[in-house]
Amino acid sequence: MAETFGVDAVSVNIGITAYVVAGAAFIPLGGWLSDRYGAKRIFAIAIVVFGLASIACAACTALWQFVLARVVQGAGGALMVPVGRIIVLKNAGKQDLMRATALITWPALLAPVIAPVLGGALTTWYGWEWIFLLNAPLALTGTVLVLAYVPSVRDSEPKPLDRVGTVLIVTSLSLTIYGLSELAQPSLIGLDLALPAVGLLVGVGGRAVVPAGRVPPLVGLGPLRVPTFAAASLHAGNLIRLAISATPFLLPLMLQEAWGG
């Protein structure tokens, strides 16, 4: 990819950052959109957006094109994850809840094991474009299955959207992630500005979870009062996700930059 875009390998990192930033911006909206417009409709739209953006990624010839395509792909992927889980959990009975949770968890655990081998084979034998083109038939199949088999789940009385909180939390998450990525490569704003900016944006995000009048916040912190949930999602869970998320990026860089692979 770096050779195609005429940049060094580390510069392609902005494509990963763009995807993560878009994901952080749209994930909080997933639950509200599914309640408002129906989980089935939003899930199908998200799959289509993800598939079309994947094709756009494969067609890119410049880094800026790739970044824009990754933003759109991140938006689609961000809506797929929470809305898909909402569909599964709302349609599973209490006796099937653990089994349903396992079914939607295991693919995410297996993907980091299979994807590097499959992605390396596709890149070596066919070209990096096929990493993204592979998503097209999967998206088409997924859309057909969703429209055919997924029941329509929609809240009969959707809650109003906390517009101010939404703007704050989307801005905070997006710019905080960008600020953290800038700490690794302080080329634009520098460390002296990056650290205070991240702190400020985290504070802005804190306002987004505070109820404003009668409108509930977009992201509530009530579930964190459950100790086991807090440990799995906020404390040890964050450390585990940091390690899992960093390995697929750091391992190829080590092979390419340090070992000359």
Side-chain angles (χ1 to χ4, degrees):
M1 292 175 66
E3 292 178 358
T4 301
F5 300 147
V7 298
D8 58 272
V10 178
S11 297
V12 183
N13 176 41
I14 192 173
I16 299 176
T17 302
Y19 183 89
V20 175
V21 168
F26 281 89
I27 278 181
L29 287 170
W32 182 83
L33 288 172
S34 64
D35 290 340
R36 182 75 176 182
Y37 301 104
K40 178 178 181 178
R41 179 185 301 175
I42 297 299
F43 193 44
I45 291 174
I47 295 175
V48 171
V49 169
F50 186 86
L52 293 177
S54 298
I55 297 174
C57 288
C60 292
T61 57
L63 184 58
W64 68 268
Q65 298 172 351
F66 181 68
V67 171
L68 291 178
R70 287 286 281 174
V71 169
V72 179
Q73 188 186 40
L79 293 178
M80 285 169 55
V81 175
V83 177
R85 290 181 178 180
I86 288 172
I87 292 173
V88 172
L89 296 178
K90 281 192 174 182
N91 288 278
K94 290 184 178 180
Q95 68 278 8
D96 298 323
L97 193 58
M98 292 299 297
R99 184 182 304 173
T101 303
L103 287 175
I104 61 179
T105 302
W106 276 109
L109 298 176
L110 291 175
V113 178
I114 300 173
V117 178
L118 179 60
L122 289 174
T123 303
T124 301
W125 295 331
Y126 300 103
W128 64 265
E129 296 86 354
W130 283 95
I131 297 176
F132 297 98
L133 291 176
L134 183 65
N135 292 330
L138 296 177
L140 178 61
T141 303
T143 304
V144 172
L145 292 176
V146 167
L147 295 177
Y149 295 105
V150 172
S152 181
V153 179
R154 183 175 180 178
D155 196 335
S156 57
E157 297 182 1
K159 299 177 182 177
L161 179 65
D162 178 13
R163 293 180 174 84
V164 175
T166 299
V167 172
L168 289 176
I169 199 168
V170 167
T171 303
S172 175
L173 286 174
S174 302
L175 296 183
T176 299
I177 291 176
Y178 176 77
L180 291 174
S181 68
E182 190 64 23
L183 291 177
Q185 290 180 295
S187 56
L188 296 179
I189 62 178
L191 291 176
D192 293 340
L193 293 177
L195 284 173
V198 170
L200 175 63
L201 294 169
V202 170
V204 171
R207 157 58 186 88
V209 298
V210 177
R214 298 180 179 179
V215 181
L218 182 66
V219 178
L221 301 182
L224 293 179
R225 296 191 183 98
V226 181
T228 52
F229 180 81
S233 60
L234 188 62
H235 304 146
N238 271 339
L239 296 176
I240 294 172
R241 281 188 288 273
L242 282 173
I244 293 175
S245 301
T247 301
F249 175 66
L250 295 178
L251 183 60
L253 276 183
M254 183 185 70
L255 295 175
Q256 295 176 39
E257 299 296 318
W259 294 357

